Amino acid sequence: MEDQICLRTGVERCNKRQKIDYKLEESKERSSRHWTIRTYLIATCQHVDVWFKETKKKGLPTLNQWIGSLLAT
């Protein structure tokens, strides 16, 4: 039961972020194609945000550092 509650609150936070932070509800798109593309791009942005936070928290190299190390070899 606790897993379901955690999952639900996580989904609600995700939905809030899409609707409010990324202004999904304010979009003027009417076609389902534009709505789908916008939702996909917002989900990608959310993933990148979390990826950067985890990278910073764990002290992992940033993307620029990683690419620089690849180019240096």
Side-chain angles (χ1 to χ4, degrees):
M1 185 69 172
E2 289 180 22
D3 291 338
Q4 291 175 344
I5 293 171
C6 288
L7 182 61
R8 181 180 173 138
T9 59
V11 170
E12 289 174 356
R13 283 192 308 268
C14 178
N15 290 340
K16 175 260 179 199
R17 187 156 166 83
Q18 288 179 349
K19 289 178 182 178
I20 297 173
D21 296 346
Y22 288 102
K23 302 182 187 323
L24 183 61
E25 288 185 330
E26 295 177 15
S27 65
K28 304 288 188 219
E29 290 91 16
R30 297 186 185 260
S31 73
S32 62
R33 176 192 245 174
H34 285 132
W35 187 262
T36 302
I37 291 170
R38 186 174 172 103
T39 305
Y40 181 78
L41 291 173
I42 289 171
T44 303
C45 290
Q46 286 179 302
H47 179 77
V48 169
D49 286 345
V50 172
W51 184 53
F52 280 145
K53 285 179 185 175
E54 284 296 312
T55 299
K56 193 174 186 180
K57 185 168 73 173
K58 292 181 180 178
L60 299 173
T62 64
L63 187 59
N64 289 337
Q65 292 170 337
W66 184 70
I67 291 173
S69 69
L70 289 176
L71 295 174
T73 58

